[in-house]
Amino acid sequence: MNILILGSGGREHSLAWAIKQNPKCDRLIVAPGNAGTAQIAQNAALDILDGDAVARFAEENAIDLVVIGPEAPMAAGVSDTLRAAGITTFGPSAAAAQLEASKTFTKEVCDAAGAPTAAWKRFEEAEAAKAYVTEQGAPIVIKADGLAAGKGVVVASTVTEAHAALDDMFGGAFGEAGASVVIEECMFGEEASFFVLSDGKSILPIGTAQDHKRAFDGDKGPNTGGMGAYSPAPCLTPAIQHQVLSEIVQPTIDEMAKRCTPFEGVLYVGLMIEETGRARLIEYNVRFGDPETQVLMMRLGGQVLDLIQACAETRLTEMQVNWADDHALTIVMAANGYPGDYEKGSVISGLEALPQDSGAMTFHAGTTAQDEQITATGGRVLNVTARAETLAAAQKRAYALADQIEWPEGFYRRDIGWRAL
Ligand code: AMP
Ligand code: GLY
């Protein structure tokens, strides 16, 4: 099989690494890719938001399967263009990608499906929204309705903070994404993520994970795209997984099918595990998480190609996942200053000496190969990932590897995994 992966992060490097292990994989191209994907596949310069360009490239290169990493090409309808051209594609249609792109859409689907989530109300105008917040009191959650690069959510601990967030959003801080705002009940508990494949009808869970959103140790500092992750998430017990699949995921998939916008791809189910021992939905993403995918791929290995292919070919019911009783943990190394401003172009050394095997991989994110050197060209730059029989052992191994990397212009958290250990 010839396979094309769209994206350039650690998520895509880990997908490429796992897919490559499957003997069915003949040719592997990553567009646009990074210095890490260049070591195991061919990188291709391609505007991945341009569906016609991607379809043309896929046809010219006899691609049998396109795997879409990030949400932007999905929301831009790249899957639709590829499917219309007869190309087997892993990634939802633009209509189904609304489950991530629009908070209101997701809330309406959940209500119709009876899926437990926070109580909510939508507003298009600041005065009414503020009056509602005053009436409800704090803590309360304010969300820009559209895609805001993960920054459109404010968990306000006071009414004043909530009012300020509303002023920001209606004042245009998030452009169109903030033209309407969803105000939600604040839920409490432990957060975890569940990754579930769906071919539009059936579902197949492929793993749980927890990430660390804040930049610094002790969950302090600004929110980021994720500074580290581990899998499995111990708080997502088999009983809670069962509850989530039967009360949240399958009803959502059924509702999407009923609306004639079946969801085909991976559903990233963000959950709040409440003290009662039940989970409620925080949000859906319509793609793999980053850095959660790095730990999932480390655990799944080459079988992920069979799973993704079956998903894209609507025969998920034939599949089962072969689980090992293992744990994986990934540490994100980011450029000093991230998630704010950071320098680009610093040199990273020590990578060649690191192992690259089924127990340890350093996945690249924002890297570029230049004059036989690896330089940092993004905010999140490397994902040092290890797998072991226990989470504690995976953590120990990952930190031992991270400590061997020489990159003074970068930083990483020292406490990834603390919640589960
Ligand atoms: P989201 O962009 O929807 O993932 O939200 C970002 C973060 O805000 C989540 O990971 C949660 O930590 C928090 N959050 C979102 N919605 C709620 C809610 N209803 N109750 C409590 N926390 C929330
Ligand atoms: N790690 C969070 C995300 O991928 O959205």
Side-chain angles (χ1 to χ4, degrees):
M1 278 179 88
N2 297 333
I3 298 153
L4 170 65
I5 299 175
L6 303 185
S8 62
R11 167 178 53 204
E12 288 76 21
H13 186 191
S14 70
L15 280 164
W17 173 81
I19 286 173
K20 183 98 192 280
Q21 288 170 39
N22 191 306
K24 275 201 304 208
C25 175
D26 296 312
R27 193 157 165 236
L28 183 60
I29 306 179
V30 186
N34 59 39
T37 60
Q39 290 169 2
I40 58 167
Q42 179 192 336
N43 281 358
L46 188 60
D47 177 1
I48 64 168
L49 296 181
D50 180 345
D52 292 323
V54 176
R56 227 177 302 121
F57 181 90
E59 277 159 4
E60 283 163 12
N61 289 278
I63 295 295
D64 301 298
L65 172 68
V66 179
V67 178
I68 307 182
E71 66 273 27
M74 297 165 186
V78 172
S79 312
D80 303 80
T81 308
L82 291 171
R83 285 203 186 93
I87 299 162
T88 307
T89 304
F90 178 78
S93 66
Q98 288 288 99
L99 278 179
E100 175 165 354
S102 165
K103 310 265 185 214
T104 307
F105 178 86
T106 304
K107 286 295 195 181
E108 283 168 358
V109 167
C110 284
D111 286 354
T117 179
W120 67 289
K121 224 170 147 98
R122 176 186 190 207
F123 293 90
E124 282 172 349
E125 184 268 314
E127 283 318 303
K130 284 185 177 173
Y132 179 73
V133 165
T134 307
E135 175 198 313
Q136 294 291 312
I140 195 157
V141 182
I142 315 288
K143 300 185 174 182
D145 191 18
L147 283 175
K151 298 182 182 81
V153 175
V154 176
V155 181
S157 43
T158 64
V159 168
T160 314
E161 202 186 319
H163 282 184
L166 287 167
D167 282 336
D168 264 8
M169 287 182 197
F170 285 114
F174 298 104
E176 271 301 297
S180 87
V181 165
V182 169
I183 302 183
E184 278 186 21
E185 162 200 5
C186 187
M187 299 186 287
F188 299 94
E190 188 167 345
E191 281 184 51
S193 308
F194 201 2
F195 293 85
V196 184
L197 297 180
S198 177
D199 58 12
K201 292 192 206 93
S202 315
I203 59 175
L204 184 68
I206 58 164
T208 64
Q210 280 180 296
D211 76 352
H212 296 67
K213 284 198 163 73
R214 301 299 191 104
F216 308 129
D217 285 14
D219 290 334
K220 303 231 162 59
N223 262 319
T224 70
M227 294 302 291
Y230 50 91
S231 171
C235 67
L236 265 176
T237 61
I240 300 178
Q241 289 184 34
H242 178 80
Q243 179 236 322
V244 170
L245 295 176
S246 64
E247 293 181 8
I248 301 178
V249 182
Q250 189 68 59
T252 298
I253 296 300
D254 294 345
E255 176 63 24
M256 292 297 283
K258 202 168 114 194
R259 292 172 177 229
C260 299
T261 53
F263 181 87
E264 298 158 292
V266 60
L267 200 55
Y268 163 162
V269 186
L271 296 163
M272 187 70 85
I273 319 298
E274 299 183 300
E275 236 177 25
T276 54
R278 285 171 58 79
R280 280 200 283 170
L281 181 77
I282 299 176
E283 59 155 3
Y284 286 126
N285 294 305
V286 299
R287 52 174 175 84
F288 279 115
D290 190 343
E292 293 90 334
T293 308
Q294 289 81 314
V295 281
L296 292 182
M297 293 306 119
M298 196 90 213
R299 298 185 63 215
L300 290 169
Q303 65 179 316
V304 80
L305 174 57
D306 301 315
L307 298 172
I308 283 179
Q309 186 189 5
C311 185
E313 292 174 353
T314 324
R315 41 179 193 80
L316 208 47
T317 46
E318 295 169 14
M319 304 306 291
Q320 60 179 46
V321 182
N322 293 317
W323 295 110
D325 194 9
D326 59 358
H327 298 257
L329 181 139
T330 190
I331 304 159
V332 172
M333 299 183 84
N336 289 336
Y338 172 81
D341 293 338
Y342 52 84
E343 301 275 325
K344 289 186 182 175
S346 54
V347 175
I348 304 165
S349 46
L351 293 175
E352 324 74 52
L354 298 181
Q356 298 194 19
D357 55 44
S358 61
M361 265 304 293
T362 298
F363 296 115
H364 290 224
T367 62
T368 308
Q370 231 170 28
D371 309 326
E372 291 177 34
Q373 285 183 318
I374 303 289
T375 57
T377 47
R380 290 189 296 169
V381 173
L382 294 169
N383 310 123
V384 186
T385 313
R387 185 166 74 104
E389 265 176 39
T390 64
L391 184 61
Q395 185 198 49
K396 192 165 170 225
R397 178 133 202 242
Y399 276 106
L401 297 171
D403 290 340
Q404 288 178 52
I405 296 172
E406 287 163 47
W407 182 37
E409 295 82 0
F411 76 100
Y412 52 97
R413 281 181 58 160
R414 303 278 346 171
D415 63 348
I416 301 303
W418 70 266
R419 196 182 295 278
L421 288 166

